[in-house]
Amino acid sequence: MEALEELLRKAEAAHGHLCAGQVLGVRLAMLGCRRLGMDDPRGKDRKRLAAFVEIDRCATDAISLVTGCRLGKRALKFRDWGKMAATFVDLETGRAVRISARESSKALARTLHPEIEGKNKQQMLAYREMPEADLFEVQWVNVELPPEEFPGYKAERVVCEKCGEGINFRREVRRDGKVLCRACAGDCYYSVLKD
Ligand SMILES: [Zn+2]
Ligand SMILES: [Zn+2]
């Protein structure tokens, strides 16, 4: 695994700036990989890892950068829970570890560097220095990952009987003998405007 400073440099380049969230995300992902025994997640271990992230903020980009898990590769799964946490799954062994940032780490960051002005700068430095045990909680967990969730999954594509759009990866809903997409089944985040 690359050193923290090297990963932070890459995270800054990829994300556009360095911030406390990046530092936290890089360290969170490094810890997750290390607990799974993966020292080269973007190299030799790249097909072995999937990551569930629970927040869509700066840390998400950092986790993706360290692990190489990306949405477009189906190796990054987003659960919109608004929590600074992520679970790393070893697809070979099924072992999974969830790492979450301790709520107390914010207050601790404030006390470590009272001389620095600005919360972000304070946290950026403190989150680099703090021991992992002060920053994170580690839980070994079980994640049910059916075949259609795996990165390389191939299956027939079905067509929604209502809107006619194709659906991949078994995301269809079967109701009253009909095959529907999730939108037509009522799980929709948009409403179509009439023109
Ligand atoms: Zn940021
Ligand atoms: Zn539909």
Side-chain angles (χ1 to χ4, degrees):
M1 174 92 60
E2 288 161 282
L4 175 64
E5 292 307 316
E6 176 63 13
L7 287 168
L8 286 178
R9 204 186 49 73
K10 286 186 177 163
E12 180 174 10
H15 182 65
H17 64 252
L18 194 62
C19 57
Q22 293 285 315
V23 180
L24 211 51
V26 165
R27 291 197 64 190
L28 189 151
M30 287 176 78
L31 177 57
C33 291
R34 213 166 56 241
R35 285 302 175 95
L36 290 177
M38 292 192 201
D39 53 13
D40 194 9
R42 284 177 290 126
K44 72 173 163 60
D45 298 323
R46 73 184 182 284
K47 299 224 162 125
R48 252 179 81 191
L49 186 62
F52 286 76
V53 292
E54 300 180 17
I55 195 160
D56 53 352
R57 285 211 57 205
C58 302
T60 314
D61 283 350
I63 291 166
S64 183
L65 179 112
V66 173
T67 60
C69 293
R70 297 200 308 263
L71 201 58
K73 291 187 355 188
R74 310 198 71 224
L76 188 75
K77 314 283 185 189
F78 177 46
R79 295 293 179 268
D80 194 0
W81 292 3
K83 293 168 91 174
M84 183 61 89
T87 296
F88 304 89
V89 186
D90 184 337
L91 299 173
E92 258 173 40
T93 64
R95 290 167 80 226
V97 65
R98 180 173 180 271
I99 316 279
S100 56
R102 289 187 189 278
E103 204 47 35
S104 54
S105 63
K106 278 185 191 225
L108 205 55
R110 233 184 344 260
T111 62
L112 274 181
H113 288 289
E115 79 285 3
I116 298 178
E117 263 190 66
K119 201 174 64 173
N120 187 52
K121 282 201 173 123
Q122 243 176 22
Q123 289 179 347
M124 263 202 329
L125 187 59
Y127 291 165
R128 277 180 200 228
E129 300 171 344
M130 277 160 73
E132 277 170 343
D134 285 342
L135 277 176
F136 303 115
E137 166 138 7
V138 176
Q139 297 169 295
W140 287 98
V141 296
N142 180 52
V143 178
E144 290 299 330
L145 215 53
E148 62 266 26
E149 295 301 328
F150 278 76
Y153 182 77
K154 296 240 173 12
E156 62 162 337
R157 188 176 149 88
V158 300
V159 169
C160 173
E161 289 181 36
K162 198 169 166 197
C163 70
E165 292 181 0
I167 310 155
N168 297 297
F169 307 130
R170 293 199 184 156
R171 268 31 177 192
E172 70 271 20
V173 177
R174 288 171 197 272
R175 187 181 291 160
D176 304 327
K178 274 194 158 79
V179 174
L180 299 171
C181 71
R182 285 171 71 161
C184 291
D187 184 10
C188 203
Y189 66 92
Y190 58 86
S191 58
V192 178
L193 300 175
K194 306 248 181 298
D195 47 22

